Amino acid sequence: MELTEKTLDYNARTSLLKSLSWFDWLYALVLAGGSIYAFQLYGNYMDAYEKGILFLAAAGMIWQGWFWKPFRVLLLAVAILSLFGISQYHGQLARAEQTFFLKFFFGSQTAIMWMSALFVLATASYWFALLTRSGFTARVSSAITWSAVVMGLVGLMTRWYESYLISPDVGHIPISNLYEVFILFSILTAMMYLYYELRYQNRQLGAFVLLVISAAVGFLLWYTFDRQAHEIQPLVPALQSYWMKIHVPANFIGYGAFALAAMVGVAYLLASKGILTTRLPAPELLDDLMYKSIAIGFALFTIATILGAMWAAEAWGGYWSWDPKETWALIVWLNYAAWLHLRLVKGLRGPLLAWWAVIGLFVTVFAFLGVNMFLSGLHSYGTL
Amino acid sequence: MPFLNIVNHPNSSHRNPAQNLYELLSSMRFAISLLTVLAIASIIGTVLKQNEPYPNYIMQFGQFWFQTFEMLGLYDVYHSSWFLTILAFLILSTSLCIYRNTPLMLREMRSFREHATENSLRAFSHQAEYTTSLPADTLTHRLGKYLLGQGFRAKLGAPGESGDILIAAKSGSYHRIGYLLTHTAIVVICLGGLIDGNIPLKAQQLLGWKKIETRDIPEREVSAASRLSPANLSFRGGVTIPEGAGADVIFINIADGYLVQDLPFDIMLKKFRVEHYPTGQPKSFESDITLIDKATKESVSRTISVNHPLVYKGIAIYQASFGDGGTRLSMKGWNLFSPTDQPFDMKGAVKQDTKLSNGGATYTVEFTEFRKFNIENFAGEDGGTSAMDNLNKFFQTGSTKRAQKDLRNVGPSFQYKIRDAQGQAREYFNYMLPIQFEDRWYLLSGMRMAPNEPFRYIRFPLDRQSNIDGFMRLRAVLLDKQTHPEIARHFAEFALQGEKTDPALRAKLVDSTIRILDVFASGGYEAMAKLIEKSVPAAEQDKVAQTYLKILESSTLSAWRIAQSRIGQPVVMDEITQGFVRDSLNSVSDLFSYGAPVYLQLAEFDEVMASGLQLTRSPGKNIVYGGSALLVLGVFFMFYIRERRVWLLVQPRLGTVLFATSTNRKTMDFEQEFNRHKTHLIVLLKE
Ligand code: HEM
């Protein structure tokens, strides 16, 4: 006899909706109100897809905030600081260099420099915490990482606004070139790390994950100071599409997750060799985290690649042209598909998979940077 | 992974070869090997540039390797027979895998495994046992409620002989659907891709029904064997249409040739537009096109742009590129071989040739390109501006200056090749408008001998009226040996002004000036450098060079006076004039390596653009998209629906409850859940 709820009339599960607090609802209200307000202000300039993206993004962020509570605070903080920053411009780009708050905090370039500095600081601080086993320092490191994420997001928001101040036809979402996506990468990787930090109640891995973020920041700084890459450039025709708004973030959640997995892999390998073993979480936790982030990375990377194909079909006339960037996306994808098969189907665990995750990051980095540097093709937007 | 164990441990000794083959093809090992080969092949395709013109490959690899690589199909890896064969095997293998696993999976999904025995439960790695004094029906009720509350579906077994009651529960069975979805998706996507690949075409080629055209002939003359009918299921090709013209075919590039695809409609291009941002970067490319259906005569007019194609009866028309559609050019030609100060008029059009004759020699001017805008980087241009630097160029090798960025929009330019009777050609790139360097204005002309070289630029200085005429007049005077004595005398007079010098000295100065002018007129600075190297001891070369340069520069000032006086113009002696003269000397010298009989100065243009359209028909697209949707869905099912089973064996006889749980994905969440159930059960089993 199959048991049914009717025969037993009992439900012990608390559904998500019932568990929501007043703050959750306030948060949802602010987001819903905000998106409606934005729609009223700018709806005339959006096409149907962009309107869809606006509301779906709002819905997605409401869900994300309900699912991961600190996200609500993060989002509200970013919103308040960004709006404050934007209010300081009075519609003049030049004020970014003159007004106190913009010059020292929220002007896009300044905010991004803050983000960079804070990420590097957090890296050092996490390492200090790891080596001295200081719980307090570890908590401080988390706080620094959170502030770096806030500043990075505020920087992107004001950069978005600044691009429109340059000229309305230049304005665009700041995820269009290598410089901007590196910022996005740093922020997303940090956010995913912070999510797992809370989830596993474990701050030791920050030392590793923040290393890869610091490397990205290093690249960003070199790119800024040596190549003036931070200048806002208008969009070439191929990039003027709503597809960019979904394809790029999906891709970078994927890349960020793979980077996170690789750094956890490094920690795993060190711990398995007896280095820092007592300071790092148990191997099962590392293994689990590695799997989870590769899984989320794989899922999002799959979506991103499909979105990319759909975009390509609209921009170039073919959903798959075997252009080097596409091909390398496929290689990355196959690589992680093999990883997942080995772990899930063959039940493999241990250092081999950790090594594989680390090497996977190199393959990923090649797909994301190397292709632009060494191979030519249709995707020639972010040349070095 | 119990169910996998079932299929993965076949007793192969009892099987026939066909079954073994089936085992192999449907095994994951085989699939993973195929994927690895596919990945490596894909890498080759990204490292070796695909679908380049064959001569480029021959140049790169040499004849032998060129042929070897061609045989392996490496110039178009993704359409080579072997690559497609691997794909076909992947489809086969994955299909077999699905075929083999699905029944098991469905059975697994439906089953509660309510017939598990006590012994098998005790063998589980995750199990616990509790004692309880509650009566059996209270227990089953409570435990059942608990499991349902935790999101399980549960089944209550009938009491066994010993009175034992088994509650079997499961959750997340749809996890298994994930496998089905993802793997079906792979098959669907590959099939869709193969439909859009050129399989039918390949077959026709193999059968000899279709032949690739490799000759560069007018489209009308392409034979039927190299044409594809409008009924062709799937194609992707391009065509370039000049403004005001039309087309009803596209070209599909294959290997070292092409096929012509006939279209069911005519496409007319009314207008092509490029818009630019203030910074000069392109902002939009748009074509106003009209389609006229050949069958129904229906016509559709639309503007297409990048990211906004037009789809007509399953054929999508994209803005792919643009080019010149035969811009008409009016030029002033400056004869460089026999310097005159008057230009001649010349007309031409991009993509057309014009004949040019100079005395006995005839040349062909092939106009290749016109650009209305140019964003150029002029910082770090090779070579300094001083005469000494220019002269030094010939003493030393290569300068290593760091390239800097100084981007400017410098207006229109055009490009042409001048081919001599022997067929040798050099390529030229001329800007229409003057360009400023360090407050002086120049007209620039670039020259190169081979397409893969960068252009080397000559700068023609502008005179006070902002024309090139002054330079040309000065050059005519300077290169005319007949005027050299006059220049030398003028210079000597000027140089020795006011001094009572002896006529012999003056004559000597005149003589050496003539000599310097003659040498310069015969080959510029290079000739001077050669002369100095040959006739002056090494230690004094520098000093002599300085002196010669001074004389050359000053006498060129005299030449300038003479040139100006011929048209009745005075010369103001100031910095500007001196700079102009120095620049002129450099250009005159550079012109010796210019290699063309003329400098063509663009006077007017009438731009005609051409739009590059890409047309595709891809019936596989929606199949691929459908497969993609399955893939995403399946991936989420597999990752985020966790399959778990719980068994609670109530043994009233012993007053115990045996708890066992399993999953097909052992993650930490499962451990946590196991522990949670354990603590909950302790509470539940109390009074
Ligand atoms: C391009 C080809 C393939 C891709 C991208 C692919 C992808 C995947 C992915 C992502 C998983 C998820 C792991 C999981 O959570 O279960 C999986 C599982 C699996 N794959 Fe594949 N796969 C491919 C081909 C094959 C083939 C040809 C076989 C045939 C033997 C196969 C057998 C399996 C099995 C048995 C599972 C485990 C399903 C389960 O336990 O739920 N795969 N595959």
Coordinates of all heavy atoms in Angstrom, one line a residue, chain A residues 1-3 8 10 13 169 199 233-235 238 240 285 288 292 311 313-317 319 321-322 327-328 331 341 344-345 375-376, chain B residues 1 4 28 42-43 46 49 78 141 145 148-149 153-156 196 236 277 281 283 285 307 318 614 616 625 628 639-640 665 667-669:
Chain A
M1 N 0.8 -1.2 0.0 CA 0.0 0.0 0.0 C 0.9 1.2 0.0 O 1.8 1.3 0.8 CB -0.9 0.0 1.3 CG -1.5 1.3 1.5 SD -2.4 1.3 3.1 CE -1.2 1.7 4.3
E2 N 0.6 2.1 -0.9 CA 1.4 3.4 -0.9 C 0.8 4.4 0.1 O -0.4 4.6 0.1 CB 1.5 4.0 -2.3 CG 2.3 5.3 -2.2 CD 2.8 5.8 -3.5 OE1 2.5 5.1 -4.6 OE2 3.4 6.8 -3.5
L3 N 1.6 4.9 0.9 CA 1.1 5.9 1.9 C 0.9 7.2 1.2 O 1.6 7.6 0.3 CB 2.1 6.1 3.0 CG 2.4 4.8 3.8 CD1 3.6 5.1 4.8 CD2 1.2 4.3 4.5
L8 N -2.7 10.2 6.1 CA -2.0 10.5 7.3 C -2.2 11.9 7.8 O -2.0 12.2 9.0 CB -0.5 10.2 7.1 CG -0.2 8.7 6.9 CD1 1.2 8.6 6.3 CD2 -0.3 8.0 8.3
Y10 N -0.8 14.9 7.5 CA 0.3 15.5 8.4 C 1.4 16.1 7.5 O 1.8 15.4 6.5 CB 0.8 14.4 9.3 CG 2.0 14.8 10.1 CD1 1.9 15.8 11.1 CD2 3.3 14.3 9.9 CE1 3.0 16.2 11.8 CE2 4.4 14.6 10.6 CZ 4.2 15.6 11.6 OH 5.3 15.9 12.3
R13 N 7.0 19.5 6.7 CA 7.9 20.3 6.0 C 7.5 21.7 6.1 O 6.3 22.0 5.9 CB 8.0 19.9 4.5 CG 9.1 18.9 4.2 CD 9.1 18.6 2.8 NE 7.8 18.2 2.3 CZ 7.5 18.0 1.0 NH1 8.3 18.3 0.1 NH2 6.3 17.6 0.7
D169 N 24.1 57.1 -26.8 CA 24.3 55.9 -27.7 C 25.6 55.1 -27.3 O 25.8 54.0 -27.9 CB 24.3 56.4 -29.1 CG 25.4 57.3 -29.5 OD1 26.2 57.6 -28.6 OD2 25.5 57.8 -30.6
R199 N 27.4 28.4 4.1 CA 26.8 27.1 4.1 C 27.6 26.1 4.9 O 27.0 25.3 5.6 CB 26.7 26.8 2.6 CG 26.3 25.4 2.2 CD 24.8 25.4 2.1 NE 24.3 24.0 2.0 CZ 24.3 23.3 0.9 NH1 24.5 23.9 -0.3 NH2 23.9 22.0 0.9
Q233 N 34.4 52.2 -23.7 CA 34.4 52.1 -25.1 C 33.0 51.9 -25.6 O 32.3 51.1 -25.0 CB 35.3 51.0 -25.7 CG 36.8 51.2 -25.3 CD 37.4 52.3 -26.0 OE1 36.9 52.8 -27.1 NE2 38.5 52.8 -25.5
P234 N 32.6 52.5 -26.7 CA 31.3 52.2 -27.2 C 31.2 50.7 -27.7 O 32.2 50.1 -28.0 CB 31.1 53.2 -28.4 CG 32.4 53.7 -28.7 CD 33.3 53.5 -27.5
L235 N 30.0 50.2 -27.9 CA 29.8 48.9 -28.3 C 29.9 48.7 -29.9 O 29.3 49.5 -30.6 CB 28.5 48.3 -27.9 CG 28.3 48.1 -26.4 CD1 26.9 47.5 -26.2 CD2 29.3 47.1 -25.9
A238 N 28.1 44.2 -33.3 CA 27.8 42.8 -33.0 C 27.4 42.6 -31.5 O 26.6 41.7 -31.1 CB 28.9 41.9 -33.3
Q240 N 25.8 44.8 -29.7 CA 24.5 45.6 -29.3 C 23.4 44.6 -29.3 O 22.6 44.6 -30.3 CB 24.3 46.7 -30.2 CG 25.4 47.8 -30.2 CD 25.3 48.7 -31.4 OE1 24.3 48.8 -32.1 NE2 26.4 49.5 -31.6
L285 N 34.8 17.5 3.0 CA 34.2 18.7 2.8 C 34.8 19.4 1.5 O 34.0 19.9 0.6 CB 34.4 19.7 4.0 CG 33.6 21.0 4.0 CD1 33.4 21.4 5.4 CD2 34.3 22.1 3.2
D288 N 33.4 17.6 -1.5 CA 32.0 18.0 -1.7 C 31.9 19.3 -2.3 O 31.1 19.5 -3.3 CB 31.3 17.9 -0.3 CG 29.8 17.8 -0.5 OD1 29.4 16.8 -1.1 OD2 29.1 18.6 0.0
K292 N 30.3 20.4 -5.8 CA 29.2 21.3 -5.9 C 29.5 22.5 -6.9 O 28.7 22.9 -7.7 CB 28.8 21.9 -4.6 CG 28.2 20.8 -3.7 CD 27.0 21.4 -2.9 CE 26.2 20.3 -2.2 NZ 26.8 19.9 -0.9
W311 N 22.8 33.4 -29.7 CA 23.2 34.8 -30.1 C 23.9 34.7 -31.4 O 23.7 35.5 -32.3 CB 24.1 35.4 -29.0 CG 24.4 36.8 -29.2 CD1 24.0 37.6 -30.2 CD2 25.3 37.6 -28.4 NE1 24.6 38.9 -30.1 CE2 25.4 38.9 -28.9 CE3 26.0 37.3 -27.2 CZ2 26.1 39.9 -28.4 CZ3 26.8 38.3 -26.7 CH2 26.8 39.6 -27.2
A313 N 23.6 32.7 -33.7 CA 22.6 32.5 -34.8 C 22.0 33.8 -35.2 O 21.6 33.9 -36.4 CB 21.5 31.5 -34.4
E314 N 21.9 34.7 -34.3 CA 21.2 35.9 -34.6 C 22.2 37.0 -35.2 O 21.9 37.8 -36.0 CB 20.6 36.5 -33.4 CG 19.5 37.5 -33.7 CD 18.6 37.8 -32.5 OE1 18.0 36.8 -32.0 OE2 18.6 38.9 -32.1
A315 N 23.5 36.9 -34.7 CA 24.4 37.9 -35.1 C 25.2 37.5 -36.4 O 25.5 38.3 -37.2 CB 25.4 38.2 -34.0
W316 N 25.6 36.2 -36.4 CA 26.5 35.8 -37.5 C 25.8 34.9 -38.5 O 26.4 34.5 -39.5 CB 27.7 35.0 -36.9 CG 28.5 35.8 -35.9 CD1 28.7 37.1 -35.9 CD2 29.3 35.2 -34.8 NE1 29.5 37.5 -34.9 CE2 29.9 36.3 -34.2 CE3 29.5 33.9 -34.4 CZ2 30.7 36.2 -33.1 CZ3 30.3 33.8 -33.3 CH2 30.9 34.9 -32.6
G317 N 24.6 34.4 -38.2 CA 24.0 33.6 -39.1 C 24.3 32.1 -39.0 O 24.0 31.3 -39.9
Y319 N 24.4 29.0 -35.6 CA 24.5 28.8 -34.2 C 25.8 28.2 -33.8 O 26.2 28.2 -32.6 CB 23.3 28.0 -33.7 CG 23.1 26.7 -34.4 CD1 23.8 25.6 -34.1 CD2 22.2 26.7 -35.5 CE1 23.6 24.4 -34.7 CE2 22.0 25.5 -36.2 CZ 22.7 24.4 -35.8 OH 22.5 23.2 -36.5
S321 N 29.7 27.9 -35.5 CA 30.6 28.1 -36.6 C 32.0 27.5 -36.4 O 32.9 27.8 -37.2 CB 30.8 29.6 -36.9 OG 29.5 30.3 -36.9
W322 N 32.2 26.8 -35.4 CA 33.5 26.3 -35.0 C 34.5 27.4 -34.9 O 35.7 27.2 -35.3 CB 33.9 25.2 -36.0 CG 33.1 24.0 -35.9 CD1 32.1 23.6 -36.8 CD2 33.1 23.0 -34.9 NE1 31.5 22.4 -36.4 CE2 32.1 22.0 -35.2 CE3 33.9 22.8 -33.8 CZ2 31.9 20.9 -34.4 CZ3 33.7 21.6 -33.0 CH2 32.7 20.7 -33.3
T327 N 34.7 26.7 -30.1 CA 35.3 25.4 -30.0 C 35.9 25.2 -28.6 O 35.8 24.1 -28.0 CB 36.3 25.2 -31.1 OG1 35.7 25.6 -32.3 CG2 36.8 23.8 -31.2
W328 N 36.5 26.2 -28.1 CA 37.2 26.0 -26.8 C 36.1 25.9 -25.7 O 36.3 25.3 -24.7 CB 38.2 27.1 -26.5 CG 39.5 26.7 -27.1 CD1 40.0 27.0 -28.3 CD2 40.5 25.9 -26.5 NE1 41.2 26.4 -28.5 CE2 41.5 25.7 -27.4 CE3 40.6 25.2 -25.2 CZ2 42.6 24.9 -27.1 CZ3 41.7 24.4 -25.0 CH2 42.7 24.3 -25.9
I331 N 35.3 22.4 -25.6 CA 36.4 21.7 -25.0 C 36.3 21.8 -23.5 O 36.4 20.8 -22.7 CB 37.8 22.1 -25.5 CG1 37.9 21.7 -27.0 CG2 38.9 21.5 -24.7 CD1 39.0 22.4 -27.7
H341 N 31.4 12.7 -15.1 CA 31.1 11.2 -15.3 C 32.0 10.4 -14.4 O 31.5 9.4 -13.8 CB 31.5 10.9 -16.7 CG 30.3 11.0 -17.6 ND1 30.0 12.2 -18.3 CD2 29.3 10.1 -18.0 CE1 28.9 12.0 -19.0 NE2 28.5 10.8 -18.9
L344 N 30.7 10.8 -10.7 CA 29.4 10.4 -10.4 C 29.1 9.0 -10.9 O 28.5 8.2 -10.2 CB 28.4 11.4 -11.0 CG 28.4 12.8 -10.5 CD1 27.5 13.7 -11.2 CD2 28.1 12.8 -9.0
V345 N 29.6 8.7 -12.1 CA 29.3 7.4 -12.6 C 30.3 6.3 -12.1 O 29.9 5.3 -11.6 CB 29.2 7.4 -14.1 CG1 28.8 6.1 -14.7 CG2 28.3 8.5 -14.6
L375 N 44.5 33.1 -30.8 CA 43.7 32.6 -31.9 C 42.8 33.7 -32.4 O 42.3 34.4 -31.7 CB 42.9 31.4 -31.5 CG 43.7 30.2 -30.8 CD1 42.7 29.2 -30.3 CD2 44.7 29.6 -31.7
S376 N 42.6 33.7 -33.7 CA 41.8 34.8 -34.2 C 40.5 34.1 -34.7 O 40.4 33.0 -35.1 CB 42.5 35.5 -35.4 OG 42.7 34.6 -36.4
Chain B
M1 N 26.1 2.3 -6.9 CA 25.4 2.3 -8.1 C 25.0 0.9 -8.5 O 25.5 0.4 -9.5 CB 26.3 2.9 -9.2 CG 26.0 4.2 -9.6 SD 27.4 5.3 -9.7 CE 28.0 5.3 -8.0
L4 N 24.0 0.1 -12.2 CA 25.1 0.1 -13.1 C 25.9 -1.2 -13.0 O 26.4 -1.7 -14.0 CB 26.0 1.3 -12.9 CG 25.8 2.5 -13.8 CD1 26.8 3.5 -13.5 CD2 25.8 2.1 -15.2
M28 N 30.5 3.4 -21.4 CA 30.9 4.7 -21.1 C 32.3 5.0 -21.5 O 32.7 6.0 -21.9 CB 30.7 5.1 -19.6 CG 30.4 6.5 -19.5 SD 30.1 7.0 -17.8 CE 31.7 6.9 -17.1
S42 N 39.1 19.0 -32.1 CA 38.6 20.4 -32.1 C 39.7 21.3 -31.8 O 39.8 22.4 -32.4 CB 37.6 20.6 -30.9 OG 36.5 19.6 -31.1
I43 N 40.7 20.9 -31.0 CA 41.8 21.8 -30.7 C 42.6 22.0 -31.9 O 43.0 23.1 -32.3 CB 42.7 21.2 -29.6 CG1 41.9 21.1 -28.3 CG2 44.0 21.9 -29.4 CD1 42.7 20.5 -27.1
T46 N 41.3 24.7 -34.0 CA 41.4 26.1 -33.5 C 42.9 26.5 -33.7 O 43.1 27.7 -33.8 CB 41.0 26.3 -32.0 OG1 41.9 25.5 -31.2 CG2 39.6 25.8 -31.8
K49 N 44.5 27.5 -38.6 CA 43.4 28.4 -39.1 C 42.6 27.7 -40.2 O 43.2 27.1 -41.1 CB 44.0 29.7 -39.7 CG 43.8 30.8 -38.7 CD 44.2 32.1 -39.4 CE 43.2 33.2 -39.1 NZ 43.7 34.4 -39.8
Y78 N 36.2 20.3 -39.1 CA 34.9 20.0 -38.6 C 33.9 19.5 -39.6 O 32.8 19.1 -39.3 CB 34.3 21.3 -37.9 CG 35.3 21.9 -36.9 CD1 35.9 23.1 -37.2 CD2 35.7 21.2 -35.8 CE1 36.8 23.7 -36.3 CE2 36.6 21.8 -35.0 CZ 37.2 23.0 -35.2 OH 38.1 23.5 -34.4
H141 N 2.3 4.4 11.7 CA 1.7 5.7 11.5 C 2.6 6.9 11.7 O 2.8 7.7 10.8 CB 0.5 5.8 12.4 CG -0.4 7.0 12.1 ND1 -1.2 7.1 11.0 CD2 -0.5 8.3 12.7 CE1 -1.8 8.2 11.0 NE2 -1.4 9.0 12.0
K145 N 4.1 9.2 8.7 CA 3.9 10.6 8.7 C 5.2 11.4 8.6 O 5.3 12.3 7.8 CB 3.2 11.0 10.0 CG 1.7 11.3 9.8 CD 1.1 12.1 11.0 CE 1.6 11.9 12.4 NZ 0.6 12.4 13.4
L148 N 6.6 11.2 5.0 CA 5.9 12.1 4.1 C 6.2 13.5 4.4 O 6.4 14.3 3.5 CB 4.4 11.8 4.2 CG 3.9 10.5 3.8 CD1 2.4 10.5 3.7 CD2 4.5 10.1 2.4
G149 N 6.3 13.8 5.7 CA 6.6 15.2 6.0 C 8.0 15.6 5.5 O 8.3 16.8 5.2
R153 N 8.1 9.7 -0.7 CA 6.9 8.9 -1.0 C 7.2 7.6 -0.4 O 8.3 7.1 -0.4 CB 6.7 8.8 -2.5 CG 6.2 10.0 -3.1 CD 6.2 9.9 -4.6 NE 5.3 8.8 -5.1 CZ 5.5 8.2 -6.3 NH1 6.4 8.6 -7.1 NH2 4.7 7.2 -6.6
A154 N 6.2 7.0 0.3 CA 6.4 5.8 1.1 C 5.4 4.7 0.8 O 4.3 5.0 0.3 CB 6.4 6.1 2.5
K155 N 5.9 3.5 1.0 CA 5.0 2.4 0.7 C 5.1 1.4 2.0 O 6.2 1.2 2.5 CB 5.4 1.6 -0.5 CG 4.3 0.9 -1.2 CD 4.8 0.5 -2.6 CE 3.7 -0.2 -3.3 NZ 4.0 -0.5 -4.7
L156 N 3.9 1.0 2.4 CA 3.9 0.2 3.6 C 3.8 -1.3 3.1 O 2.8 -1.6 2.4 CB 2.7 0.6 4.4 CG 2.6 0.1 5.8 CD1 3.7 0.5 6.7 CD2 1.3 0.5 6.4
D196 N 22.4 20.2 -40.4 CA 22.8 21.5 -40.9 C 24.2 21.4 -41.4 O 24.7 22.3 -42.1 CB 22.7 22.5 -39.8 CG 21.3 23.0 -39.6 OD1 20.5 22.8 -40.6 OD2 21.0 23.6 -38.6
R236 N 24.6 27.6 -46.1 CA 25.1 28.8 -45.5 C 26.2 29.4 -46.4 O 27.2 28.8 -46.6 CB 25.7 28.5 -44.1 CG 26.2 29.7 -43.3 CD 26.5 29.3 -41.9 NE 27.1 30.4 -41.2 CZ 27.6 30.3 -40.0 NH1 27.7 29.1 -39.4 NH2 28.1 31.3 -39.4
Y277 N 30.5 56.2 -34.1 CA 30.5 57.0 -32.9 C 31.4 58.2 -33.1 O 32.2 58.2 -34.0 CB 31.1 56.2 -31.7 CG 30.2 55.0 -31.3 CD1 30.5 53.7 -31.6 CD2 29.0 55.2 -30.6 CE1 29.7 52.7 -31.3 CE2 28.2 54.2 -30.2 CZ 28.6 52.9 -30.5 OH 27.8 51.8 -30.2
Q281 N 34.7 54.8 -34.0 CA 34.4 53.3 -34.0 C 33.0 53.1 -34.7 O 32.2 54.0 -34.6 CB 34.3 52.7 -32.6 CG 35.7 52.5 -32.0 CD 35.9 53.3 -30.8 OE1 35.6 54.5 -30.8 NE2 36.3 52.7 -29.7
K283 N 29.3 52.2 -35.4 CA 28.2 52.1 -34.4 C 27.1 51.2 -35.0 O 26.5 50.4 -34.3 CB 27.6 53.5 -34.2 CG 26.4 53.6 -33.3 CD 26.2 55.0 -33.1 CE 24.7 55.3 -32.7 NZ 24.5 56.7 -32.6
F285 N 25.8 48.9 -38.8 CA 25.9 48.6 -40.2 C 24.5 48.2 -40.6 O 23.9 47.3 -40.0 CB 26.8 47.4 -40.5 CG 28.2 47.6 -39.9 CD1 28.7 46.7 -38.9 CD2 29.0 48.5 -40.4 CE1 30.0 46.9 -38.4 CE2 30.3 48.7 -39.9 CZ 30.8 47.8 -38.9
N307 N 22.7 41.7 -35.8 CA 21.8 41.2 -34.7 C 20.3 41.4 -35.1 O 19.5 41.0 -34.3 CB 22.0 42.0 -33.4 CG 23.2 41.4 -32.6 OD1 23.3 40.2 -32.5 ND2 24.1 42.2 -32.1
Y318 N 21.4 37.9 -43.2 CA 22.2 38.6 -42.2 C 23.1 39.6 -42.8 O 23.6 39.4 -43.9 CB 23.1 37.6 -41.4 CG 22.4 36.5 -40.7 CD1 22.1 35.3 -41.4 CD2 22.0 36.7 -39.4 CE1 21.4 34.3 -40.7 CE2 21.3 35.7 -38.7 CZ 21.0 34.5 -39.4 OH 20.4 33.5 -38.7
Q614 N 25.0 37.4 -45.5 CA 25.1 36.0 -45.4 C 23.7 35.4 -45.3 O 22.8 35.9 -44.6 CB 25.8 35.7 -44.1 CG 25.7 34.3 -43.6 CD 27.0 33.7 -43.1 OE1 27.9 33.4 -43.8 NE2 27.0 33.7 -41.8
T616 N 21.4 31.9 -44.7 CA 21.4 30.5 -44.2 C 20.0 29.9 -44.2 O 19.0 30.6 -44.0 CB 21.9 30.4 -42.8 OG1 21.1 31.2 -42.0 CG2 23.3 30.8 -42.6
Y625 N 18.0 23.5 -30.8 CA 17.5 24.3 -29.7 C 16.7 23.4 -28.7 O 16.8 23.5 -27.5 CB 16.7 25.5 -30.1 CG 17.5 26.6 -30.7 CD1 18.9 26.5 -30.8 CD2 16.9 27.8 -31.2 CE1 19.6 27.6 -31.3 CE2 17.6 28.8 -31.7 CZ 19.0 28.7 -31.8 OH 19.7 29.7 -32.3
S628 N 18.9 21.4 -26.8 CA 19.6 22.2 -25.8 C 18.7 22.4 -24.5 O 19.1 22.3 -23.4 CB 19.9 23.6 -26.3 OG 20.7 23.4 -27.4
F639 N 21.7 17.2 -11.2 CA 22.5 17.8 -10.2 C 21.6 18.1 -8.9 O 22.1 18.1 -7.8 CB 23.1 19.1 -10.6 CG 24.2 18.9 -11.6 CD1 24.6 19.8 -12.5 CD2 24.9 17.6 -11.6 CE1 25.6 19.6 -13.4 CE2 25.9 17.4 -12.6 CZ 26.3 18.4 -13.5
Y640 N 20.4 18.6 -9.2 CA 19.7 19.2 -8.1 C 18.5 18.4 -7.6 O 17.8 18.8 -6.6 CB 19.3 20.6 -8.4 CG 20.6 21.4 -8.6 CD1 21.0 21.8 -9.8 CD2 21.4 21.6 -7.4 CE1 22.3 22.4 -9.9 CE2 22.6 22.3 -7.6 CZ 23.0 22.7 -8.8 OH 24.2 23.3 -9.0
R665 N 24.0 9.2 -5.1 CA 25.1 10.2 -5.1 C 25.5 10.5 -3.6 O 24.7 11.1 -2.9 CB 24.5 11.6 -5.6 CG 24.0 11.6 -6.9 CD 25.2 12.0 -7.8 NE 24.7 11.9 -9.2 CZ 24.7 10.8 -9.9 NH1 25.1 9.7 -9.3 NH2 24.3 10.7 -11.1
T667 N 26.9 12.5 -1.2 CA 27.5 13.8 -1.0 C 27.4 14.1 0.5 O 26.8 13.3 1.3 CB 26.6 14.9 -1.7 OG1 25.3 14.8 -1.2 CG2 26.7 14.7 -3.2
M668 N 27.9 15.2 0.9 CA 27.8 15.6 2.3 C 26.4 15.8 2.8 O 26.1 15.6 4.0 CB 28.7 16.8 2.6 CG 30.1 16.4 2.9 SD 31.1 17.8 3.2 CE 30.6 18.2 4.9
D669 N 25.6 16.3 1.9 CA 24.2 16.6 2.3 C 23.6 15.3 2.7 O 22.8 15.3 3.6 CB 23.4 17.1 1.1 CG 24.1 18.4 0.5 OD1 23.9 19.4 1.0 OD2 24.9 18.2 -0.4

